[in-house]
Amino acid sequence: MPFTGQCHCGGVRYRIDGDAVGVITCHCRDCQQMHGNANAMLAAPKDSVALEASATLTWYESSATAERGFCSRCGGRLFKRPRQGDRILVSAGTIDPPTGMKTIRNVWVESKGDWYEIPA
Ligand SMILES: [Zn+2]
Ligand SMILES: [Zn+2]
């Protein structure tokens, strides 16, 4: 902490100052269709994420319960923001390395792609 990160083109840049819990890898169909595969996300308090650049940030309502923030120029997907609760999920691959974080949980394992196995 703090973490900084950005999309591929830099149109969206952010900083995270709060206490991140750890990386959650989601194997749901929404993530597969939007990210092309499972997506690793860092869960952080919503108010801990500050946007330093957001000119190309666009929000997409991905389900009745959440929206996703992506860059309209490079297509990079950075955020999943559930409507309920005080957490936001930040795509782990967009965080500037090293993160020092560990994967703490795999979710939606039952809908994962059939071309890989989840490490024990
Ligand atoms: Zn971009
Ligand atoms: Zn998902």
Side-chain angles (χ1 to χ4, degrees), residues 11 14 53 55 70 74 112:
Y14 61 83
F70 68 98
C74 71
K112 76 171 187 64

Side-chain angles (χ1 to χ4, degrees), residues 26-28 31 41 68 80:
C26 184
H27 304 264
C28 79
C31 283
M41 298 176 282
R68 311 272 183 147
K80 177 182 179 182

Side-chain angles (χ1 to χ4, degrees), residues 34-89:
M34 285 184 280
H35 294 270
N37 207 336
N39 186 39
M41 298 176 282
L42 184 73
K46 276 179 182 166
D47 60 8
S48 71
V49 179
L51 291 170
E52 297 186 327
S54 60
T56 57
L57 179 60
T58 302
W59 290 95
Y60 167 68
E61 194 173 330
S62 57
S63 74
T65 58
E67 51 190 359
R68 311 272 183 147
F70 68 98
C71 172
S72 61
R73 185 163 52 204
C74 71
R77 295 192 172 274
L78 301 106
F79 308 116
K80 177 182 179 182
R81 188 165 65 186
R83 295 195 187 288
Q84 305 291 322
D86 61 356
R87 293 268 175 83
I88 187 168
L89 298 155

Side-chain angles (χ1 to χ4, degrees), residues 75-110:
R77 295 192 172 274
L78 301 106
F79 308 116
K80 177 182 179 182
R81 188 165 65 186
R83 295 195 187 288
Q84 305 291 322
D86 61 356
R87 293 268 175 83
I88 187 168
L89 298 155
V90 180
S91 295
T94 66
I95 300 169
D96 297 330
T99 69
M101 301 296 288
K102 297 266 183 265
T103 300
I104 56 170
R105 204 148 40 101
N106 283 278
V107 297
W108 290 94
V109 170
E110 61 278 12

